[in-house]
Amino acid sequence: MGRLSGKVALITGAARGQGAEEARLFASEGASVVLTDVLDDDGKQAATEIGSAATFHHHDVTSEAEWTSVVDAVLAEYGQLDVLVNNAGILAIAPLVLTTEAEYRRVIDVNQIGTFLGMKAVVPHMVERQQGSIINISSVAGLMGSPGMIAYGASKWAVRGMTKSVALEVAPFGVRVNSIHPGIIETPMLEEFEKWGVMGAVMERVPVGRTADAREVANLALYLASDESVYSTGSEFVVDGGMTAS
Ligand code: NAD
């Protein structure tokens, strides 16, 4: 018996990086996993590599209509949805005065509105079943100030706050909502730091002196997806090599 046997998990932004790793780990623990992303080729490949436990759906998290059709498709296929990982996200690096309104809105749209729409799409079903675990991927940027990343920081602080608000709304109905706050994780997202030549400065803020593998975040997501974490809701779970300790 796997730690997620009998559960169905929907993971956004799962074509690569942390989302793909969570899909692999959840499937290996017995879950049926639904990977969604805007990167269709990578997403289909990730699902194919996992095998029959996985399916892929094209899904832009900023579209409420696409959320409705993805959740409808999952319920038609599996009849239930136990876990949602709101993982899709984008990073934009620029100081305040060089951040355009369009860029700011784009980051908020994906990271914040996408998470809002995701929770809204699945909560009625989870409340009806009196069970469910929603895992919102925030960041250490949702726990502290992040110079040069105003839009990203704003979106990740919002995710942290939204997590607590919804957790309080749905706790009486057996549904849990928690946030994960990763530090510096080896995924394609780090290319943005490298592009701006700030990777060295970023690493100076990591006490353990190394980046993390995506599996190190997926392990935490697995715990929150499973019934082992049944008494945890509205909480922040940090996996950051000590970044936020000081
Ligand atoms: P990544 O860039 O590899 O993965 C992000 C995924 O989100 C991509 O597959 C991308 O196509 C998808 N995506 C982007 N816009 C989308 C949209 N509109 N609809 C659907 N999917 C969309 O990076 P990652 O590190 O795996 O990021 C996963 C999450 O972790 C993100 O929310 C990110 O902000 C967060 N995070 C990452 C780090 C890090 O160091 N890598 C640190 C803290 C938090």
Side-chain angles (χ1 to χ4, degrees):
M1 283 281 283
R3 291 162 70 189
L4 299 182
S5 283
K7 291 193 187 292
V8 179
L10 169 53
I11 305 170
T12 67
R16 66 183 196 194
Q18 294 175 58
E21 190 62 19
E22 283 152 9
R24 285 189 283 270
L25 182 61
F26 285 16
S28 76
E29 289 290 345
S32 298
V33 287
V34 181
L35 294 77
T36 78
D37 208 296
V38 289
L39 298 177
D40 293 338
D41 291 345
D42 289 352
K44 282 178 198 157
Q45 192 182 329
T48 302
E49 284 169 11
I50 292 169
S52 60
T55 54
F56 172 77
H57 291 263
H58 175 88
H59 175 207
D60 181 342
V61 296
T62 66
S63 161
E64 188 159 28
E66 290 191 25
W67 268 108
T68 302
S69 64
V70 165
V71 171
D72 284 352
V74 172
L75 295 182
E77 182 166 1
Y78 298 102
Q80 68 187 69
L81 178 58
D82 302 279
V83 177
L84 168 65
V85 186
N86 275 314
N87 168 76
I90 55 174
L91 170 65
I93 295 180
L96 167 67
V97 294
L98 295 180
T99 301
T100 64
E101 182 183 347
E103 187 68 351
Y104 190 92
R105 288 186 188 277
R106 192 173 74 89
V107 173
I108 297 295
D109 216 21
V110 177
N111 297 1
Q112 179 179 339
I113 306 291
T115 300
F116 155 68
L117 292 174
M119 291 194 287
K120 193 178 166 197
V122 304
V123 155
H125 168 74
M126 290 182 171
V127 165
E128 194 184 325
R129 287 184 71 226
Q130 299 274 299
Q131 61 175 288
S133 174
I134 299 174
I135 302 160
N136 293 328
I137 306 300
S138 176
S139 167
V140 288
L143 295 167
M144 59 187 188
S146 302
M149 300 180 359
I150 183 165
Y152 188 78
S155 71
K156 294 301 189 180
W157 276 81
V159 167
R160 176 183 171 203
M162 289 153 61
T163 297
K164 293 187 190 305
S165 297
V166 179
L168 294 172
E169 281 187 29
V170 299
F173 306 104
V175 181
R176 303 183 293 112
V177 193
N178 293 289
S179 54
I180 290 183
H181 299 262
I184 310 302
I185 318 301
E186 281 295 341
T187 72
M189 190 169 275
L190 292 192
E191 288 163 17
E192 198 64 23
F193 287 133
E194 277 148 18
K195 197 169 88 191
W196 287 84
V198 295
M199 199 59 198
V202 168
M203 288 311 296
E204 279 172 19
R205 299 173 71 184
V206 186
V208 301
R210 66 169 179 87
T211 57
D213 187 87
R215 180 56 67 110
E216 296 175 278
V217 181
N219 285 333
L220 185 51
L222 168 62
Y223 169 69
L224 291 174
S226 79
D227 294 337
E228 295 159 21
S229 57
V230 75
Y231 201 59
S232 293
T233 196
S235 290
E236 293 142 11
F237 290 79
V238 181
V239 49
D240 71 347
M243 270 183 100
T244 52
S246 62

